Amino acid sequence: MSLVTKGIGLAKKAKHHFQDQIRERTPVYLSPVRRIERVATEERVCAMTFDDGPCRLPPNPDRSRGKPLTLVLAETLERYGARGTFDVVGDTSANYPDKPGKHGSASWGGVRYDHYPDFGKDADGGVVHCPELTARLLEGGHELTSHTYSHVLFGWKPLVYGQRKYLSGLEPVVEDLKRLHAYVEDTWHYTMRFGRPPHYVDAIQGGFTSYDAYALLGYQYMAASFDGAGWLPLATYEAEVEATWRPMEKLLLEDPDFFRGQIIFQKDGFNMARRSPIAGGLDKQLQLLTDHGYQVVTVSELLERSPFQDVLPDSETGQAARLLLGRGWCAAYQDNTIRPDAVLTRGELAMMAFGWDTVPKRIELIRSGRAPFRDLAPRHPYAAAAVRAVETRAMSAQDGRFRPDAPVTSLELAQFCATRLGRTPPLKDWSQVTHGEFLALAAGLMG
């Protein structure tokens, strides 16, 4: 193993260690907003995302005769017939007063706030200041997603960014997201469908999360499953460029199918050493993927081909889940899995059917602090959906309890389908129903 590869591995482990620990301890619930990291597919297809742009400044070092970094990336993608997903910001020029942090540190672009593409150079980045680059991305068939208007943290992040200012609650977060969404829609008649929080900070003051904010926007959460390493500061530019493609080469040699369905994280900007190794490494990455038969598509196209992480799109469960998803149901868990063998609970059944419709009700319950049932706290992910299920008489409560964790019975399923779908299924003596069985049943009743 080379020193470059070893360094990349250590940096990535440090970056993701605490996030992984939190995920392992956190229960996963059905959700209208799914965290999209990768999908199940038998095709050699993947997506590349580029954060923090657009960037009008040339790459550093500049080997493109002054051409803007974003244009260099777009043209490199297009030479291979690839389309990228550019996770753009609006304008960071209001993020002052501030001072630059230590060169090579996480605060290199600002101690209190982020500034893109660099401290004091905000007018060279973001869609507000780079309309020609934004239009060029859309003309090239690339996708735009929301990295927020101002790139201010959604909440406090004590590790690494403990000195950073953050937004003061759900309303400021939603306002910032809507500001970028409206700007892009009004200027280019383009509607964004995905969001990625600044530095993946999800917690928002008041007991909310980025998933609540994205639900109000109708977004899905765009994450990534593979780190392209362009953010890493290494000893030399050449080492940084090698870090963008060498691990990819190693993985493809070990398993040519490794990148199937993956979303690759990249930077449309400078790393902590104020260099842009992605400008030198992207061509090599794309050549490796092309040599192994991959097609690089936008995140939207990746999800059109295969929406979920754990079921193939042409499987019976995959087809049924896609049908329900298209009808506005919450067929998947927050981690974008279907888990067809999991036993369906009452809380999950309510969430599947009413999750999207009850997003405002969830906000209301959290703010009120009043539990709708004796066994469902106001912050429980299924609380608002359970209220709607009882109000519509699709489900019932007893003695003020909803019993969200109880398996759905045959009689409860018949009542639910008759009320919610207008058709009663043939009764079976099910002591419990799995997610896969219910999805197939509901899809059949929907025709």
Side-chain angles (χ1 to χ4, degrees):
M1 179 183 292
S2 70
L3 291 176
V4 170
T5 305
K6 186 175 181 180
I8 296 166
L10 291 173
K12 288 181 179 179
K13 286 180 181 178
K15 178 183 177 183
H16 297 296
H17 175 69
F18 291 101
Q19 290 179 337
D20 291 342
Q21 282 190 328
I22 291 171
R23 283 191 206 178
E24 289 175 4
R25 295 195 300 264
T26 304
V28 180
Y29 297 94
L30 292 171
S31 171
V33 177
R34 296 129 56 211
R35 182 186 176 99
I36 315 297
E37 293 189 351
R38 63 181 305 170
V39 298
T41 177
E42 295 179 331
E43 299 180 272
R44 288 191 182 175
V45 60
C46 64
M48 281 188 175
T49 64
F50 300 85
D51 277 17
D52 305 334
C55 177
R56 183 185 287 126
L57 296 180
N60 181 31
D62 182 11
R63 297 174 181 174
S64 304
R65 300 180 179 179
K67 190 177 291 186
L69 172 60
T70 300
L71 183 56
V72 171
L73 300 179
E75 290 180 346
T76 304
L77 287 162
E78 290 160 17
R79 283 201 301 272
Y80 288 87
R83 297 295 179 265
T85 296
F86 286 79
D87 199 36
V88 299
V89 299
D91 173 19
T92 59
S93 64
N95 295 350
Y96 293 94
D98 199 3
K99 61 182 180 180
K102 182 180 178 182
H103 183 77
S105 73
S107 61
W108 65 274
V111 173
R112 292 158 64 93
Y113 301 99
D114 281 310
H115 302 276
Y116 291 128
D118 200 349
F119 190 92
K121 298 180 180 179
D122 309 76
D124 290 309
V127 297
V128 172
H129 300 293
C130 303
E132 72 291 342
L133 286 174
T134 307
R136 172 64 180 80
L137 290 174
L138 295 175
E139 290 166 4
H142 306 287
E143 181 171 27
L144 301 184
T145 57
S146 174
H147 205 31
T148 74
Y149 188 91
S150 60
H151 205 274
V152 177
L153 296 179
F154 285 178
W156 185 45
K157 186 176 184 179
L159 291 171
V160 183
Y161 295 107
Q163 297 184 63
R164 283 287 169 92
K165 295 291 183 179
Y166 54 91
L167 297 171
S168 58
L170 182 63
E171 289 88 350
V173 170
V174 172
E175 180 182 349
D176 187 88
L177 290 167
K178 285 184 175 179
R179 189 177 183 188
L180 178 60
H181 185 94
Y183 188 88
V184 170
E185 200 163 54
D186 293 345
T187 307
W188 293 283
H189 308 291
Y190 182 89
T191 302
M192 295 185 293
R193 302 172 54 203
F194 300 93
R196 179 179 283 164
H199 303 297
Y200 286 108
V201 176
D202 291 327
I204 299 173
Q205 278 188 343
F208 302 104
T209 72
S210 58
Y211 294 89
D212 295 308
Y214 287 154
L216 290 169
L217 269 289
Y219 283 0
Q220 295 300 319
Y221 188 131
M222 184 181 72
S225 52
F226 185 81
D227 191 340
W231 58 276
L232 278 173
L234 298 175
T236 65
Y237 174 72
E238 289 71 25
E240 290 170 353
V241 171
E242 184 180 352
T244 65
W245 62 265
R246 181 69 74 183
M248 184 178 289
E249 178 185 59
K250 180 176 182 292
L251 290 166
L252 286 169
L253 289 173
E254 293 173 352
D255 178 9
D257 291 323
F258 180 85
F259 286 96
R260 288 192 313 188
Q262 295 222 40
I263 297 176
I264 300 170
F265 171 84
Q266 312 274 27
K267 285 274 287 183
D268 181 10
F270 303 120
N271 67 9
M272 288 186 274
R274 289 182 167 83
R275 294 189 288 255
S276 49
I278 187 59
L282 181 58
D283 185 89
K284 180 68 173 178
Q285 289 181 335
L286 291 167
Q287 186 63 63
L288 285 166
L289 290 168
T290 300
D291 289 347
H292 286 82
Y294 280 85
Q295 184 180 4
V296 178
V297 301
T298 64
V299 171
S300 284
E301 183 173 344
L302 188 68
L303 287 178
E304 281 294 319
R305 297 188 184 207
S306 181
F308 309 112
Q309 182 168 316
D310 62 337
V311 294
L312 290 169
D314 294 332
S315 66
E316 181 182 4
T317 300
Q319 290 178 352
R322 187 197 286 264
L323 174 63
L324 268 66
L325 194 71
R327 301 285 179 91
W329 287 51
C330 298
Y333 286 89
Q334 195 174 83
D335 62 1
N336 199 32
T337 58
I338 296 298
R339 308 186 186 191
D341 296 327
V343 175
L344 182 68
T345 67
R346 286 170 48 84
E348 289 171 338
L349 182 59
M351 189 65 182
M352 272 197 192
F354 300 105
W356 271 116
D357 296 338
T358 57
V359 169
K361 180 65 175 179
R362 168 174 163 77
I363 306 300
E364 177 189 323
L365 284 174
I366 292 175
R367 286 184 173 145
S368 72
R370 294 191 298 270
F373 300 99
R374 294 168 64 186
D375 55 355
L376 265 181
R379 293 187 181 183
H380 193 286
Y382 300 155
V387 170
R388 180 65 59 84
V390 172
E391 288 176 345
T392 60
R393 299 188 178 182
M395 301 180 74
S396 58
Q398 294 180 348
D399 300 322
R401 299 181 186 276
F402 185 78
R403 298 181 295 115
D405 299 325
V408 176
T409 67
S410 299
L411 288 175
E412 288 171 335
L413 190 62
Q415 174 189 345
F416 177 89
C417 291
T419 305
R420 185 71 173 87
L421 300 176
R423 297 179 65 185
T424 302
L427 279 178
K428 294 185 179 180
D429 188 18
W430 276 326
S431 58
Q432 57 188 28
V433 185
T434 67
H435 281 240
E437 289 169 335
F438 173 71
L439 289 171
L441 174 67
L445 293 176
M446 289 179 181

